Amino acid sequence: MKWNEVQNLYPNEWVVIEAIQAHSDEGLRLVDEMAIVQKFDDSFEAMKQCNELQRERPANEFYFFHTSRPRVEIRERRCYAISGYLQNQLIQPAPLEELVALRSFSSKL
């Protein structure tokens, strides 16, 4: 389903959507095709449902929006940690010894 179809079906509503097809462009995540998960009158309830779904199915993309928005676009944020060591990686943090070694190495640069 396209965003304009969602807007026509649910005018002035909060909706939780699942991205079926999406792409990134210049720091924005743009959702091209979506499925409606649920509609809400309250933004807080929509956010809670969205967060719960994301925890249950972390490989999927869930978002909540008010249908008054002209487009479905999300500003992307990159995850950075100590000198980029965990940059864009969904892994457990490194042991403390490695982080100390990395910190002392990067301070010499």
Side-chain angles (χ1 to χ4, degrees), residues 12-54:
N12 290 319
E13 299 276 358
W14 286 95
V15 291
V16 174
I17 63 166
E18 179 177 4
I20 304 301
Q21 184 178 2
H23 69 280
S24 295
D25 184 26
E26 296 184 13
L28 293 176
R29 187 74 175 151
L30 304 169
V31 180
D32 305 309
E33 289 286 329
M34 62 201 75
I36 297 298
V37 176
Q38 195 171 348
K39 73 175 187 80
F40 295 88
D41 295 326
D42 181 303
S43 62
F44 183 73
E45 293 300 320
M47 179 184 66
K48 279 181 19 182
Q49 177 67 25
C50 186
N51 289 338
E52 184 177 316
L53 287 166
Q54 199 64 68

Side-chain angles (χ1 to χ4, degrees), residues 49-101:
Q49 177 67 25
C50 186
N51 289 338
E52 184 177 316
L53 287 166
Q54 199 64 68
R55 273 192 301 277
E56 291 171 4
R57 296 186 278 174
N60 298 36
E61 292 180 57
F62 295 98
Y63 304 103
F64 70 100
F65 290 98
H66 195 270
T67 56
S68 64
R69 288 184 64 145
R71 292 179 14 148
V72 176
E73 60 184 25
I74 302 95
R75 186 161 312 281
E76 292 182 316
R77 292 184 296 171
R78 300 244 182 236
C79 177
Y80 294 95
I82 303 175
S83 301
Y85 187 82
L86 299 177
Q87 180 179 352
N88 300 322
Q89 296 182 30
L90 298 175
I91 59 171
Q92 293 295 320
L96 182 59
E97 302 81 38
E98 287 182 35
L99 294 175
V100 170

